[in-house]
Amino acid sequence: MQGNKLSYQNSPRECTTMGAKKMQKRFLHKDGSCNVYFKHIFGEWESYVADIFTTLVDIKWRHMFVIFSLSYILSWLFFGLVFWLIAMQHGDLAHDEEITPCVAKVHSFTGAFLFSLETQTTIGYGFRCVTEECSVAILMVVLQSVLSCIIDTFIIGAALAKMATARKRAQTIRFSYYATVGLRDDKLCLMWRIGDFRPNHMVEGIIRAQLLRYMEDKEGRMTMEYKDLKLLNDQVILVTPVTIVHEIDHDSPLYGLDRKALAKDSFEILVTFVYTGDSTGTSHQSRSSYIPREILWGHRFNNVLQVRKKYYNVDCLQFEETTEVYAPYCSAKQLDRKEHEWNRTKKTLDRGTSTSTLEVRDTSFKAVALISSSEDPEDLMKAVNQDSR
């Protein structure tokens, strides 16, 4: 039984709840960024400086460009000041032709700065040069050359490592905004969709999902409880969009939740996709999350794959679209219990008479109908008991 199609091609619509109930704060945003901020970190700057290479790789590009420029300009200014002081102490600024200068053709701070720039960048115009007159000037040239190699190693190496991370690659991996709960092979399943919209796809990928539940103890302290969700297809080759399926069985933390209980509960499903890029061969990770108001009960995703004569066609417009379909409002636990009762009753039918067979079958069909329409477990049990009498 299918209903109307629900389209979410435009910007996703957040469901707002009326009343005093506060909106649930996300632990993980839809774009994969964590909604966590640290305060009063001990030794924060020391840890960043101790691992300076990782710090340079993690910072933003505009900060990287500022550090890249300042590292060279400040080193040029520092050694230019040193050469200017050497020239001043030796008397090179007096323009005395009888005195052999420490650095030839350096008669001002501008000249010393230009000599420092030419030395560190190995330009070598042939106009300014250090002489054998001052060993201190020779030592400064050696130190500046060594420091130049160190700066080049860190800055250029960090820039290359930053480009190799290819964090923008994760933005082309897209998760569906909504997850759905529906029947799949007569079992209630939680499903969401993931797709890669680049021509060059990843080599392989592993999907993992965890249910994060916020719990508060008697003293008012909040704790977080993580539970893994078992996926039927956790290893995928993402050439076309794939629907990830979690069967809600007795090992699932969603086993005892019906439609109303799921909507009122406070939890968050964290999904991660770790994969290897085909172009660079490096490992990447994409993340997203789903909270109860983003889980549609009784929906399924529309088909995106169409078979042509010579190729397969993927309709990206159908990636976010769902269709409302039949799904019982009860929990998977109640559904399994009624199925067990039905199987037990079926065995009784085979042994009974034709009259008792018709009566029991009529009773069982009524119980199944009650499961499809009832949302309150207490109402469901009362109705089943009355029907059995």
Side-chain angles (χ1 to χ4, degrees), residues 196-248:
D196 181 18
F197 297 94
R198 286 180 67 97
N200 52 334
H201 301 283
M202 69 284 302
V203 178
E204 59 181 355
I206 299 176
I207 301 175
R208 185 183 179 186
Q210 285 184 318
L211 186 139
L212 172 63
R213 193 180 296 277
Y214 308 94
M215 304 180 65
E216 188 173 345
D217 57 14
K218 297 180 180 179
E219 299 178 359
R221 295 177 299 183
M222 188 187 69
T223 59
M224 296 184 179
E225 181 183 9
Y226 295 88
K227 290 186 178 179
D228 291 331
L229 298 182
K230 185 179 179 181
L231 305 179
L232 299 182
N233 50 343
D234 56 348
Q235 297 184 1
V236 297
I237 299 177
L238 208 59
V239 178
T240 61
V242 177
T243 301
I244 309 302
V245 180
H246 163 66
E247 183 178 327
I248 306 177

Coordinates of all heavy atoms in Angstrom, one line a residue, residues 196-248:
D196 N 28.1 8.9 -3.8 CA 29.3 9.6 -4.2 C 29.0 10.2 -5.6 O 28.6 9.5 -6.5 CB 30.4 8.6 -4.3 CG 31.7 9.3 -4.8 OD1 31.8 10.6 -4.7 OD2 32.7 8.6 -5.2
F197 N 29.1 11.5 -5.7 CA 28.8 12.2 -6.9 C 30.0 12.7 -7.7 O 29.9 13.8 -8.3 CB 27.8 13.4 -6.6 CG 26.5 12.9 -6.0 CD1 26.4 12.8 -4.6 CD2 25.5 12.5 -6.8 CE1 25.2 12.4 -4.0 CE2 24.3 12.0 -6.2 CZ 24.2 12.0 -4.8
R198 N 31.1 12.0 -7.7 CA 32.2 12.3 -8.5 C 32.4 11.2 -9.5 O 32.1 10.0 -9.3 CB 33.5 12.4 -7.6 CG 33.6 13.7 -6.8 CD 34.8 13.7 -6.0 NE 36.0 13.8 -6.8 CZ 36.6 14.9 -7.1 NH1 36.2 16.1 -6.5 NH2 37.7 15.0 -7.8
P199 N 33.0 11.5 -10.7 CA 33.2 10.5 -11.7 C 34.2 9.5 -11.3 O 34.1 8.3 -11.5 CB 33.7 11.3 -12.9 CG 33.3 12.7 -12.7 CD 33.3 12.9 -11.2
N200 N 35.3 9.9 -10.6 CA 36.3 8.9 -10.1 C 35.9 8.5 -8.6 O 36.0 9.3 -7.7 CB 37.7 9.5 -10.1 CG 37.7 10.9 -9.4 OD1 36.7 11.6 -9.3 ND2 38.9 11.2 -8.9
H201 N 35.5 7.3 -8.5 CA 34.9 6.8 -7.2 C 36.1 6.3 -6.4 O 37.2 6.0 -6.8 CB 33.9 5.8 -7.5 CG 32.7 6.3 -8.3 ND1 31.7 7.1 -7.8 CD2 32.4 6.1 -9.6 CE1 30.9 7.4 -8.8 NE2 31.3 6.8 -9.9
M202 N 35.7 6.0 -5.1 CA 36.7 5.5 -4.2 C 36.9 4.0 -4.4 O 36.1 3.3 -5.1 CB 36.3 5.7 -2.7 CG 35.1 4.9 -2.3 SD 33.5 5.6 -2.9 CE 33.6 7.2 -2.3
V203 N 38.0 3.5 -3.9 CA 38.4 2.1 -4.1 C 37.5 1.2 -3.3 O 36.9 0.2 -3.7 CB 39.9 1.9 -3.7 CG1 40.2 0.4 -3.9 CG2 40.8 2.7 -4.6
E204 N 37.4 1.5 -2.0 CA 36.5 0.7 -1.1 C 36.1 1.6 0.1 O 36.7 2.6 0.4 CB 37.3 -0.6 -0.6 CG 38.5 -0.2 0.2 CD 39.3 -1.5 0.6 OE1 38.7 -2.6 0.4 OE2 40.4 -1.3 1.2
G205 N 35.1 1.1 0.8 CA 34.6 1.9 1.9 C 33.9 1.0 3.0 O 33.3 0.0 2.6
I206 N 34.0 1.5 4.2 CA 33.4 0.8 5.3 C 32.5 1.7 6.1 O 32.9 2.9 6.4 CB 34.5 0.2 6.3 CG1 35.3 -0.8 5.5 CG2 33.8 -0.5 7.5 CD1 36.5 -1.4 6.4
I207 N 31.3 1.3 6.3 CA 30.3 2.2 7.0 C 30.1 1.7 8.4 O 30.0 0.5 8.7 CB 29.0 2.2 6.2 CG1 29.2 2.7 4.8 CG2 27.9 3.1 7.0 CD1 28.0 2.7 4.0
R208 N 30.0 2.6 9.4 CA 29.8 2.3 10.8 C 28.7 3.2 11.3 O 28.7 4.4 11.0 CB 31.1 2.4 11.6 CG 30.9 1.9 13.0 CD 32.2 2.1 13.8 NE 32.1 1.7 15.2 CZ 33.0 1.9 16.1 NH1 34.2 2.5 15.7 NH2 32.8 1.5 17.3
A209 N 27.9 2.7 12.2 CA 26.8 3.5 12.8 C 26.8 3.2 14.3 O 27.0 2.0 14.7 CB 25.5 3.2 12.2
Q210 N 26.6 4.2 15.1 CA 26.5 4.1 16.5 C 25.3 5.0 17.0 O 25.0 6.0 16.5 CB 27.7 4.6 17.2 CG 28.9 3.7 17.2 CD 30.1 4.2 18.0 OE1 30.4 5.4 18.0 NE2 30.7 3.3 18.7
L211 N 24.6 4.4 18.0 CA 23.5 5.2 18.6 C 24.0 5.8 19.9 O 24.5 5.1 20.8 CB 22.3 4.3 19.0 CG 21.1 5.0 19.5 CD1 19.8 4.4 18.8 CD2 21.0 4.9 21.0
L212 N 24.0 7.1 20.0 CA 24.4 7.9 21.1 C 23.2 8.4 21.9 O 22.3 9.0 21.4 CB 25.2 9.1 20.6 CG 25.6 10.2 21.7 CD1 26.5 9.6 22.8 CD2 26.2 11.4 21.1
R213 N 23.1 7.9 23.1 CA 22.0 8.3 24.0 C 22.5 9.1 25.1 O 23.5 8.8 25.8 CB 21.3 7.0 24.5 CG 19.9 7.3 25.1 CD 19.3 6.0 25.6 NE 19.1 5.1 24.6 CZ 18.0 5.1 23.8 NH1 17.1 6.0 24.0 NH2 17.8 4.2 22.8
Y214 N 21.7 10.2 25.4 CA 22.1 11.1 26.4 C 21.3 10.7 27.7 O 20.1 10.6 27.7 CB 21.7 12.6 26.1 CG 22.2 13.0 24.7 CD1 21.4 12.9 23.6 CD2 23.5 13.6 24.6 CE1 21.9 13.3 22.4 CE2 24.0 14.0 23.4 CZ 23.2 13.8 22.3 OH 23.7 14.2 21.1
M215 N 22.1 10.5 28.8 CA 21.5 10.0 30.0 C 21.9 11.0 31.1 O 23.0 11.5 31.1 CB 22.0 8.6 30.3 CG 21.7 7.6 29.2 SD 22.2 5.9 29.6 CE 21.2 5.5 31.0
E216 N 21.0 11.2 32.1 CA 21.2 12.1 33.2 C 21.0 11.3 34.5 O 20.0 10.6 34.7 CB 20.3 13.2 33.1 CG 20.6 14.3 34.1 CD 19.7 15.6 33.9 OE1 19.1 15.7 32.8 OE2 19.7 16.4 34.9
D217 N 22.0 11.3 35.4 CA 22.0 10.6 36.6 C 21.2 11.4 37.7 O 20.6 12.5 37.4 CB 23.4 10.3 37.1 CG 24.2 11.5 37.3 OD1 23.7 12.6 37.3 OD2 25.4 11.4 37.5
K218 N 21.1 10.9 38.9 CA 20.3 11.5 39.9 C 20.9 12.9 40.3 O 20.2 13.7 40.8 CB 20.2 10.6 41.1 CG 19.5 9.3 40.8 CD 19.5 8.4 42.1 CE 18.8 7.1 41.8 NZ 18.8 6.2 43.0
E219 N 22.2 13.0 40.2 CA 22.8 14.3 40.5 C 22.8 15.4 39.4 O 23.3 16.4 39.6 CB 24.3 14.0 40.9 CG 24.4 13.1 42.1 CD 25.9 12.8 42.5 OE1 26.7 13.4 41.7 OE2 26.1 12.1 43.5
G220 N 22.1 15.0 38.3 CA 22.0 16.0 37.2 C 23.2 16.0 36.3 O 23.2 16.9 35.4
R221 N 24.1 15.1 36.4 CA 25.2 15.0 35.5 C 24.9 14.2 34.2 O 24.3 13.1 34.3 CB 26.5 14.4 36.2 CG 27.0 15.2 37.3 CD 28.1 14.5 38.0 NE 27.7 13.3 38.6 CZ 28.5 12.5 39.3 NH1 29.8 12.9 39.5 NH2 28.1 11.3 39.8
M222 N 25.3 14.7 33.1 CA 24.9 14.1 31.8 C 26.0 13.1 31.4 O 27.2 13.5 31.5 CB 24.7 15.1 30.7 CG 24.2 14.5 29.4 SD 24.1 15.7 28.1 CE 25.8 16.0 27.8
T223 N 25.6 12.0 31.0 CA 26.6 11.0 30.5 C 26.1 10.6 29.1 O 25.0 10.7 28.7 CB 26.7 9.7 31.4 OG1 25.4 9.2 31.5 CG2 27.2 10.1 32.7
M224 N 27.0 10.0 28.3 CA 26.7 9.6 26.9 C 27.0 8.1 26.8 O 28.1 7.6 27.2 CB 27.6 10.4 25.9 CG 27.3 11.8 25.9 SD 28.2 12.7 24.6 CE 27.6 14.4 24.8
E225 N 26.0 7.4 26.3 CA 26.2 5.9 26.1 C 26.2 5.6 24.6 O 25.3 6.0 23.9 CB 25.0 5.2 26.8 CG 25.0 3.7 26.7 CD 23.8 3.1 27.3 OE1 22.9 3.8 27.7 OE2 23.8 1.8 27.4
Y226 N 27.2 4.9 24.2 CA 27.3 4.5 22.8 C 27.0 3.1 22.6 O 27.4 2.2 23.4 CB 28.8 4.8 22.3 CG 29.2 6.2 22.3 CD1 29.8 6.8 23.5 CD2 29.1 7.0 21.2 CE1 30.2 8.1 23.5 CE2 29.5 8.3 21.2 CZ 30.0 8.9 22.3 OH 30.4 10.2 22.3
K227 N 26.2 2.8 21.6 CA 25.9 1.4 21.2 C 26.0 1.3 19.7 O 25.5 2.1 18.9 CB 24.5 1.0 21.6 CG 24.3 0.9 23.1 CD 22.9 0.4 23.5 CE 22.8 0.2 25.0 NZ 21.4 -0.2 25.4
D228 N 26.7 0.2 19.3 CA 26.9 0.0 17.8 C 25.7 -0.6 17.2 O 24.9 -1.4 17.8 CB 28.1 -1.0 17.6 CG 29.4 -0.4 18.0 OD1 29.6 0.8 17.9 OD2 30.3 -1.2 18.4
L229 N 25.4 -0.2 16.0 CA 24.3 -0.7 15.2 C 24.8 -1.6 14.2 O 25.7 -1.3 13.4 CB 23.5 0.5 14.5 CG 22.9 1.5 15.4 CD1 22.1 2.6 14.6 CD2 22.0 0.9 16.5
K230 N 24.3 -2.8 14.2 CA 24.8 -3.8 13.2 C 24.1 -3.6 11.8 O 22.9 -3.4 11.7 CB 24.4 -5.2 13.7 CG 24.9 -6.3 12.8 CD 24.5 -7.7 13.3 CE 25.0 -8.8 12.4 NZ 24.7 -10.2 13.0
L231 N 25.0 -3.4 10.8 CA 24.5 -3.1 9.5 C 24.6 -4.4 8.6 O 25.5 -5.2 8.7 CB 25.4 -2.0 8.9 CG 25.5 -0.7 9.7 CD1 26.4 0.3 9.0 CD2 24.1 -0.1 9.9
L232 N 23.6 -4.5 7.7 CA 23.5 -5.6 6.8 C 24.5 -5.5 5.7 O 25.0 -6.4 5.1 CB 22.1 -5.8 6.2 CG 21.0 -6.1 7.3 CD1 19.7 -6.3 6.6 CD2 21.4 -7.3 8.1
N233 N 24.9 -4.2 5.3 CA 25.8 -4.0 4.2 C 26.8 -2.9 4.7 O 26.7 -1.7 4.3 CB 25.1 -3.5 2.9 CG 24.1 -2.4 3.2 OD1 23.7 -2.1 4.3 ND2 23.6 -1.8 2.1
D234 N 27.7 -3.2 5.5 CA 28.7 -2.3 6.0 C 29.9 -2.0 5.1 O 30.6 -1.1 5.3 CB 29.2 -2.7 7.4 CG 29.8 -4.1 7.4 OD1 29.6 -4.8 6.4 OD2 30.4 -4.5 8.4
Q235 N 30.1 -2.9 4.2 CA 31.2 -2.8 3.2 C 30.6 -2.6 1.8 O 30.0 -3.5 1.3 CB 32.2 -3.9 3.2 CG 32.9 -4.1 4.6 CD 33.9 -5.2 4.6 OE1 34.1 -5.9 3.6 NE2 34.6 -5.4 5.7
V236 N 30.8 -1.4 1.2 CA 30.2 -1.1 -0.1 C 31.2 -0.5 -1.0 O 32.2 0.0 -0.6 CB 29.0 -0.1 0.1 CG1 27.9 -0.7 1.0 CG2 29.5 1.2 0.7
I237 N 30.9 -0.7 -2.3 CA 31.6 0.0 -3.4 C 30.7 1.0 -3.9 O 29.7 0.7 -4.6 CB 32.1 -1.0 -4.5 CG1 33.0 -2.1 -3.9 CG2 32.8 -0.2 -5.6 CD1 33.4 -3.1 -4.9
L238 N 30.9 2.3 -3.6 CA 30.0 3.3 -3.8 C 30.0 3.9 -5.2 O 30.3 5.1 -5.5 CB 30.2 4.5 -2.8 CG 29.0 5.3 -2.4 CD1 27.9 4.4 -1.8 CD2 29.4 6.4 -1.4
V239 N 29.7 3.0 -6.2 CA 29.7 3.5 -7.6 C 28.3 4.2 -7.8 O 28.2 5.2 -8.5 CB 29.9 2.3 -8.6 CG1 29.7 2.8 -10.0 CG2 31.2 1.7 -8.3
T240 N 27.3 3.6 -7.3 CA 25.9 4.2 -7.3 C 25.5 4.4 -5.9 O 26.0 3.8 -4.9 CB 24.9 3.3 -8.1 OG1 24.8 2.0 -7.3 CG2 25.4 3.0 -9.5
P241 N 24.5 5.3 -5.7 CA 24.0 5.5 -4.3 C 23.5 4.2 -3.7 O 22.8 3.4 -4.4 CB 22.8 6.5 -4.5 CG 23.2 7.2 -5.7 CD 23.9 6.3 -6.6
V242 N 23.8 4.0 -2.4 CA 23.4 2.7 -1.7 C 22.6 3.1 -0.5 O 22.8 4.1 0.2 CB 24.7 2.0 -1.3 CG1 24.4 0.7 -0.5 CG2 25.6 1.7 -2.5
T243 N 21.6 2.2 -0.3 CA 20.8 2.4 0.9 C 21.3 1.4 2.0 O 21.4 0.2 1.8 CB 19.3 2.0 0.6 OG1 18.8 2.8 -0.4 CG2 18.4 2.1 1.9
I244 N 21.8 2.0 3.1 CA 22.3 1.3 4.2 C 21.2 0.8 5.1 O 20.3 1.6 5.4 CB 23.3 2.2 5.0 CG1 24.3 2.8 4.0 CG2 24.0 1.4 6.1 CD1 25.1 1.8 3.2
V245 N 21.3 -0.4 5.5 CA 20.2 -1.1 6.2 C 20.6 -1.6 7.6 O 21.7 -2.3 7.7 CB 19.6 -2.2 5.4 CG1 18.4 -2.9 6.2 CG2 19.1 -1.8 4.1
H246 N 19.9 -1.2 8.6 CA 20.1 -1.8 10.0 C 18.8 -2.5 10.4 O 17.7 -1.8 10.5 CB 20.4 -0.7 11.0 CG 20.2 -1.1 12.4 ND1 21.0 -2.0 13.0 CD2 19.3 -0.7 13.4 CE1 20.6 -2.2 14.3 NE2 19.6 -1.4 14.5
E247 N 18.9 -3.8 10.5 CA 17.7 -4.6 10.9 C 17.5 -4.4 12.4 O 18.4 -4.6 13.3 CB 17.9 -6.0 10.6 CG 16.7 -6.9 10.9 CD 16.9 -8.3 10.5 OE1 17.6 -8.6 9.5 OE2 16.4 -9.2 11.3
I248 N 16.2 -4.0 12.8 CA 15.9 -3.7 14.2 C 15.5 -5.1 14.8 O 14.3 -5.5 14.8 CB 14.8 -2.7 14.3 CG1 15.1 -1.4 13.6 CG2 14.5 -2.4 15.8 CD1 14.1 -0.4 13.6

